Amino acid sequence: MVDSDQESLPPNNVIGAPLPFWHRFLGKDRPRISWKDSASAIFFSSWLNALLILIPIAWVSHFKEWTHGLTFGLCFLSIIPLEKLFDWGGEQLAMYCGEDLGDLIVITLNNTVEATLAIILLARCELKLLQSTIAGVVLLHLLLIPGTTFLTGGVRIREQLLHPDRSQLNLTLLTVGVLALTIPAAFFASVNTSNANGVEAGGFTGPSDTLRRDMLRMSRGFAVILLTIYICSRIYLHNPPPADSDAPKDVDNQNGGTTRPEPPRRRKSTATQYGPQVNPRACLLLLAVTVALMGVTAEFLVDSIEFVRNQANIEEEWFGIVLLPLVSFSADGTVAIVFFIRSSLRRFFTAPEPPEAIAEGRAIDLSIQFLLFWTPFVTLLGWWLNKPVSLLFDLFEVTLLIGACFLVNYVTADAKTNWAEGFVLVSFYAMIGLSAWYYTGQSEVRLMDACRSVAAAITDGVSPGQ
């Protein structure tokens, strides 16, 4: 009797030959996983799933109009397990899609929380807060997340390795993404708004609507170019052109023989080492439900932002650069803290596990995708929704991004890291958070981000969302 899965294989399939994508995606080459086992694996995937009980409580707090601070806190905590489910579900789905496509899926799903917040802020026309959040997300993925992983992962080993080919390409992609934000800021700073048909009210002369229209056209052109760059980079990573010869060259060793160089290694997650725990259909259902819960909870979170910001007297820049991006890091940060404490205590009772020689540098890929894909996507989406969102960022935010780009490029240039470099990245992020606490924002850029005309914003006074 032939199994039904084997019957569905193509007749010319031979042992050792790669399966077609659709057969591999459906798990034809793996043992079948039942829906019961899939549900059990999802439920016990992380102890953070216990926080899922806060989701209905957060929704009740929103509809019953409890205090805005309580609603914000409940929504913040509710997003933690959802973010972890995105991460876990992405790793499970990636094992059915192959290494390259799976890596893209994991990166995209890890950016889902930030992308959801960005789209909601765009729909509500909180454009200045949107730009601050974009800058904060990139800074978080460039500094805090890799800094903590380099710091904790390199404590018991002299240095960890990064993927050399990806590191070299990442340096270029990251630099061009930051430079794309530098050009509009430099252009705007070079234009004398008082002599460019600016609008004057109350002794203050601001930029004109004509200048904003030009900036919007420039930003939309930049967005198309950035998307093209990102698509080309993914094509290169998935299907790189062959080298001088298809086979790697042999290298002479000290004993007179020849050795073949090892291919670049990637750090594998625990889930990848043990294989998938859910079937692909259950994984897709999990991600669809998680996206729906995330969208509603994030919208309720944004509803309470302005009230919490006013009550706590928090500057909008700090709120966007530091607090909102931490929503995406809260799940991984909580797990990392618990893992670090548990590993430290285990050293006193059992033999410690060998240190990991491959550094986790996926967070840098997240920042590159957010710069080259999600930021231009939000810009073009704003064009379609008739929202005047542009790539003109606050000069302070652009300066922070340039500094972070320079530091990360310098740290990862040799494809090696250590705990001291991780501490430097975390320390620089702490400097940014401290300075953002006192920063009130650039008034001219705030006027350019007004949803009304610049003239009306100057005359009546502008506030977020107007």
Side-chain angles (χ1 to χ4, degrees):
M1 180 109 180
V2 181
D3 186 74
S4 60
D5 287 347
Q6 296 178 354
E7 291 178 350
S8 61
L9 294 177
N12 59 348
N13 185 63
V14 296
I15 298 177
L19 288 174
F21 171 78
W22 186 247
H23 289 81
R24 186 174 68 247
F25 179 76
L26 294 179
K28 300 296 184 180
D29 57 337
R30 299 178 183 271
R32 179 173 297 178
I33 303 175
S34 66
W35 283 90
K36 180 180 178 181
D37 293 337
S38 299
S40 176
I42 292 172
F43 183 78
F44 294 104
S45 61
S46 173
W47 60 270
L48 289 175
N49 289 341
L51 296 178
L52 291 172
I53 191 63
L54 296 178
I55 295 179
I57 301 177
W59 291 15
V60 170
S61 176
H62 172 79
F63 288 113
K64 293 294 185 180
E65 297 183 353
W66 295 350
T67 60
H68 295 287
L70 179 61
T71 303
F72 180 85
L74 289 173
C75 291
F76 190 96
L77 294 176
S78 300
I79 291 178
I80 293 178
L82 295 176
E83 168 65 19
K84 189 60 181 177
L85 283 176
F86 273 127
D87 189 11
W88 185 82
E91 291 182 348
Q92 295 293 315
L93 186 62
M95 284 182 278
Y96 291 103
C97 300
E99 185 177 16
D100 292 327
L101 181 58
D103 186 62
L104 177 61
I105 292 175
V106 172
I107 292 174
T108 303
L109 289 176
N110 281 335
N111 272 328
T112 303
V113 177
E114 299 90 330
T116 303
L117 287 174
I119 294 175
I120 293 176
L121 291 173
L122 173 64
R124 294 177 175 272
C125 215
E126 295 269 3
L127 302 185
K128 188 64 191 75
L129 183 59
L130 167 63
Q131 291 183 337
S132 299
T133 304
I134 290 176
V137 167
V138 176
L139 292 171
L140 179 83
H141 288 156
L142 285 180
L143 299 174
L144 184 60
I145 297 180
T148 53
T149 55
F150 296 165
L151 178 61
T152 57
V155 171
R156 295 189 295 120
I157 190 172
R158 183 178 180 86
E159 59 185 17
Q160 290 183 303
L161 304 179
L162 291 168
H163 195 291
D165 293 340
R166 286 180 173 267
S167 298
Q168 295 172 3
L169 181 60
N170 284 349
L171 298 182
T172 304
L173 296 176
L174 180 60
T175 302
V176 73
V178 172
L179 290 179
L181 302 181
T182 306
I183 296 175
F187 178 87
F188 184 75
S190 302
V191 175
N192 189 351
T193 57
S194 60
N195 295 328
N197 298 323
V199 180
E200 183 175 357
F204 174 77
T205 302
S208 64
D209 289 294
T210 302
L211 178 59
R212 181 167 75 168
R213 184 178 64 250
D214 295 339
M215 293 299 304
L216 289 175
R217 291 173 177 173
M218 181 191 307
S219 299
R220 291 157 186 168
F222 278 27
V224 174
I225 297 174
L226 290 176
L227 286 174
T228 305
I229 292 175
Y230 185 73
I231 293 174
C232 292
S233 68
R234 296 310 307 186
I235 294 175
Y236 173 81
L237 289 174
H238 294 331
N239 188 24
D244 295 338
S245 61
D246 294 335
K249 296 180 180 180
D250 295 337
V251 180
D252 295 334
N253 57 25
Q254 295 179 353
N255 298 326
T258 58
T259 57
R260 192 174 299 277
E262 296 183 358
R265 295 176 293 171
R266 295 185 184 180
R267 182 173 181 174
K268 294 185 178 181
S269 63
T270 304
T272 305
Q273 295 173 2
Y274 292 99
Q277 304 175 40
V278 297
N279 64 65
R281 295 180 179 87
C283 191
L284 290 175
L285 179 61
L286 166 67
L287 294 176
V289 173
T290 307
V291 167
L293 294 176
M294 173 67 67
V296 177
T297 307
E299 184 173 1
F300 295 163
L301 177 74
V302 174
D303 282 339
S304 59
I305 282 178
E306 185 174 356
F307 299 96
V308 173
R309 190 173 63 224
N310 294 334
Q311 292 175 1
N313 196 23
I314 299 177
E315 295 293 344
E316 186 179 30
E317 289 290 327
W318 190 87
F319 209 91
I321 292 178
V322 178
L323 186 57
L324 284 184
L326 285 177
V327 174
S328 62
F329 181 64
S330 53
D332 292 335
T334 304
V335 173
I337 293 174
V338 173
F339 176 78
F340 181 76
I341 295 175
R342 186 174 58 187
S343 301
S344 301
L345 294 177
R346 186 181 300 171
R347 296 181 62 183
F348 294 99
F349 302 99
T350 60
E353 298 179 356
E356 178 62 61
I358 308 299
E360 179 59 65
R362 179 174 291 165
I364 300 177
D365 294 330
L366 299 181
S367 63
I368 291 174
Q369 187 191 70
F370 213 84
L371 272 175
L372 300 182
F373 178 79
W374 287 112
T375 299
F377 173 79
V378 170
T379 303
L380 297 178
L381 180 62
W383 186 15
W384 183 62
L385 296 176
N386 198 25
K387 305 291 185 182
V389 58
S390 68
L391 296 181
L392 175 60
F393 280 61
D394 193 295
L395 186 59
F396 175 73
E397 298 166 353
V398 174
T399 304
L400 296 180
L401 291 172
I402 294 175
C405 175
F406 170 79
L407 182 59
V408 170
N409 284 352
Y410 194 81
V411 167
T412 61
D414 58 351
K416 299 177 182 178
T417 65
N418 53 65
W419 71 265
E421 292 177 334
F423 183 76
V424 170
L425 295 177
V426 175
S427 300
F428 186 60
Y429 186 82
M431 296 178 190
I432 292 176
L434 180 61
S435 59
W437 178 264
Y438 300 100
Y439 186 64
T440 58
Q442 194 174 353
S443 57
E444 293 83 359
V445 175
R446 189 181 300 275
L447 290 172
M448 297 284 283
D449 290 333
C451 280
R452 300 176 297 167
S453 66
V454 176
I458 294 177
T459 302
D460 301 335
V462 65
S463 61
Q466 293 183 337

